[in-house]
């Protein structure tokens, strides 16, 4: 299977190129956010959005490119997109909870204390 971007019609090459640029930009924004934000808790949000949005655009570009190149509908990339979109936020949530537990155990002052239920006022 020999596919080349030069053999792709212009009407398909424009959206493929645009989606690749958008996906690369979103991934870059996530990486820059990861580097620029200060604490671990702030850093967790940017890569999640960058990865999910970036993979979505790149996945669509891949689906269009290979569907046109092979002259058949190619949708198995959706499985990759669904897997990444579902697992990335869950992974980051688990990392945040583990860091929160560690910081509370070390009595780090930058995290809020665990909510301890208080007794209702006596009437």
């Amino acid at each position: 299977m020999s596919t080349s971007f030069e053999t792709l019609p212009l009407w398909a090459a424009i959206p493929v190129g645009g989606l690749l640029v958008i996906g690369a930009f979103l991934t870059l924004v996530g990486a820059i956010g990861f580097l620029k934000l200060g604490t671990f808790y702030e850093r967790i949000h940017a890569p999640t959005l960058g990865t999910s949005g970036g993979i979505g655009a790149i996945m669509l570009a891949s689906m269009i490119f290979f569907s046109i190149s092979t002259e058949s509908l190619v949708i198995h990339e959706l499985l990759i997109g669904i897997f990444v979109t579902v697992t990335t936020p869950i992974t980051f949530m688990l990392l945040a909870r583990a860091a929160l537990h560690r910081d509370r155990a070390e009595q780090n002052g930058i995290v809020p204390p665990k909510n301890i239920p208080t007794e209702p006022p006596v009437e």
Side-chain angles (χ1 to χ4, degrees), residues 5-123:
F5 197 71
E6 292 86 18
T7 61
L8 201 63
L10 183 63
W11 62 267
I14 291 173
V16 167
L19 286 168
L20 286 174
V21 169
I22 290 169
F25 176 74
L26 290 173
T27 304
L28 179 66
V29 167
I32 291 171
F34 184 72
L35 290 174
K36 291 288 183 181
L37 295 173
T39 67
F40 175 78
Y41 301 105
E42 293 171 343
R43 287 181 182 170
I44 246 173
H45 190 61
T48 303
L49 294 177
T51 303
S52 298
I55 194 71
I58 293 171
M59 177 190 63
L60 284 174
S62 174
M63 288 173 57
I64 294 169
F65 177 77
F66 286 108
S67 292
I68 300 299
S69 297
T70 61
E71 297 177 357
S72 65
L73 185 61
V74 177
I75 59 171
H76 60 273
E77 281 98 346
L78 287 175
L79 294 174
I80 297 169
I82 290 169
F83 182 74
V84 169
T85 303
V86 169
T87 58
T88 301
I90 292 170
T91 303
F92 279 115
M93 182 187 68
L94 292 174
L95 284 171
R97 286 187 178 189
L100 185 64
H101 176 72
R102 181 202 60 216
D103 287 343
R104 284 181 178 158
E106 293 176 355
Q107 297 178 347
N108 191 340
I110 64 169
V111 296
K114 192 181 262 188
N115 288 340
I116 300 172
T118 59
E119 295 180 24
V122 178
E123 294 180 18

